[in-house]
Amino acid sequence: MLKYIVKRIISLIPVLIIISIFVFGLMKAMPGDPIQMMMPMGGGVQMTQEEYDKMYKNLEKKYGFDQPVHVQYIKWVQKTLKGDFGDSTKARKPVKDYLAEPLRNTLLLNLGSTIISFVLSILIGIRSAVKRGGFFDKFFQVFTLIGMSLPTFFIGLFLIFFFGFKLNWLPANGMPKINGFAEWIKYLVLPTLTLTIGSLASISRYVRNAMLDALNQDYIRTARAKGLREKTVIYSHAFRNAMIPVVTSMTWAILAMFSGSAITESVFAYRGIGKELIDGVLAADNNIVLTLTMFYALLTLLGNLIMDISYALVDPRVKLEA
């Protein structure tokens, strides 16, 4: 197992290099001038053309945009490997300092929604399979279809309208400076609920279908014929063998949450890395966009590795060969 993991991690290096070259080249090809975005615009600032050009060249030299693209790429890689992600041209501060709070916010949002959706999905999926054709099963069949059909931003807007404006129970959007966790958690409820609904709809269907397939296998009939308790048959035999497809859906759901949370964070004006990525693209903040894009790429590659390892842990029949 350890040998396999080490080999897989080493194989990720050339993939990351190719992705980094592609992403860096794409950023340079995109329209927009990050230096121009930093230049003072209006606000009573009066500058001659000569002063403007001089300031532009100083900023261009400071951030290294005056060098050839391949030199910029090499320097960016060297700094990144040292943990220096450069400075945000929008915020005029180091990227790692600027993104520390948004990263924490996103992790809390996704961690909460992931745990809630996974626990509920397993419970709902198992019960729907066991009570197939009953009211509980039919209700959640309709619920999951609706949840999978509606886009995330629509669910978020509906929750804002209903709980934020109609009932006035929760704050509709925003992420102010809050001292206590009790007050801060109010701003987490609606975005967490939005992500949970979308994830719950898809994962619970995976669990239900996997359980239905497992419950129809010969070994389940044999277990029941031996007189084992129904709970033992369901949870020890059927569910464990149904975990293979469920592991796949859960792994991809985690990755989808991090990428999909960009839309949710924008809808709720929640300051997470997803919202910062969108703002960074609009502001032509290259270092923000590069850092977050590589973070998502690394997350996806590690997700594939975790998924393969999970297969072997769930099903002893799956052997990982180095």
Side-chain angles (χ1 to χ4, degrees):
M1 175 75 78
L2 181 60
K3 188 177 179 181
Y4 172 82
I5 294 173
V6 172
K7 185 178 179 181
R8 281 291 302 271
I9 292 174
I10 293 173
S11 69
L12 295 182
I13 296 174
V15 178
L16 280 172
I17 292 173
I18 294 171
I19 292 174
S20 68
I21 293 172
F22 176 77
V23 171
F24 193 88
L26 188 63
M27 282 301 305
K28 292 301 176 182
M30 285 179 65
D33 187 347
I35 301 298
Q36 208 166 47
M37 299 291 288
M38 290 187 287
M39 297 295 289
M41 303 288 288
V45 178
Q46 299 293 329
M47 298 176 65
T48 64
Q49 187 62 42
E50 185 179 348
E51 290 173 333
Y52 183 90
D53 292 341
K54 184 178 180 181
M55 180 180 286
Y56 185 94
K57 288 180 179 178
N58 287 338
L59 287 172
E60 191 178 41
K61 185 176 182 180
K62 178 182 177 181
Y63 290 100
F65 290 107
D66 59 331
Q67 298 175 334
V69 175
H70 68 278
V71 176
Q72 292 183 44
Y73 171 76
I74 293 171
K75 287 191 173 182
W76 170 68
V77 171
Q78 290 173 340
K79 292 169 95 176
T80 300
L81 292 175
K82 294 176 183 177
D84 180 4
F85 305 110
D87 293 335
S88 167
T89 55
K90 176 181 65 172
R92 306 287 185 92
K93 61 193 299 187
V95 169
K96 62 182 178 181
D97 295 336
Y98 181 71
L99 291 179
E101 184 182 345
L103 179 60
R104 182 198 64 187
N105 294 341
T106 295
L107 286 174
L108 284 172
L109 173 62
N110 283 277
L111 183 63
S113 59
T114 299
I115 293 172
I116 295 170
S117 62
F118 284 177
V119 171
L120 290 178
S121 294
I122 290 172
L123 295 176
I124 291 170
I126 292 175
R127 184 170 174 79
S128 295
V130 173
K131 303 291 183 180
R132 182 181 183 182
F135 173 78
F136 185 91
D137 182 36
K138 290 179 180 178
F139 174 82
F140 278 101
Q141 283 287 86
V142 174
F143 173 81
T144 54
L145 281 174
I146 294 173
M148 292 176 68
S149 302
L150 294 176
T152 306
F153 72 87
F154 182 84
I155 296 173
L157 291 173
F158 173 77
L159 294 177
I160 288 173
F161 172 76
F162 189 74
F163 290 103
F165 295 116
K166 275 289 183 183
L167 300 178
N168 199 27
W169 286 355
L170 296 165
N173 53 43
M175 195 66 194
K177 294 290 183 182
I178 301 171
N179 296 323
F181 181 76
E183 185 183 355
W184 184 47
I185 200 170
K186 287 195 266 186
Y187 289 86
L188 272 170
V189 174
L190 291 183
T192 299
L193 187 58
T194 301
L195 289 176
T196 300
I197 290 173
S199 180
L200 176 65
S202 59
I203 297 176
S204 61
R205 288 182 71 86
Y206 271 108
V207 177
R208 177 186 180 274
N209 294 335
M211 280 295 296
L212 284 174
D213 183 60
L215 288 171
N216 289 324
Q217 298 299 316
D218 291 336
Y219 63 86
I220 296 296
R221 285 189 283 271
T222 303
R224 283 173 172 158
K226 288 180 178 179
L228 294 177
R229 294 172 57 203
E230 188 64 16
K231 285 187 177 180
T232 304
V233 172
I234 292 170
Y235 293 101
S236 297
H237 292 74
F239 181 63
R240 184 172 181 181
N241 285 276
M243 279 297 288
I244 290 283
V246 174
V247 164
T248 307
S249 65
M250 285 184 174
T251 304
W252 285 114
I254 294 173
L255 302 178
M257 276 186 178
F258 275 93
S259 55
S261 64
I263 300 171
T264 304
E265 289 169 3
S266 297
V267 169
F268 289 95
Y270 181 89
R271 189 170 177 247
I273 57 174
K275 185 177 183 300
E276 290 298 334
L277 176 59
I278 294 174
D279 292 345
V281 172
L282 296 175
D285 196 336
N286 288 359
N287 287 331
I288 291 282
V289 178
L290 285 169
T291 301
L292 292 179
T293 304
M294 291 305 299
F295 169 76
Y296 284 123
L298 182 60
L299 192 68
T300 303
L301 293 173
L302 290 177
N304 278 286
L305 175 59
I306 293 170
M307 186 165 56
D308 290 341
I309 296 171
S310 300
Y311 283 160
L313 294 176
V314 171
D315 191 348
R317 293 172 299 179
V318 178
K319 302 296 181 183
L320 300 178
E321 297 181 0

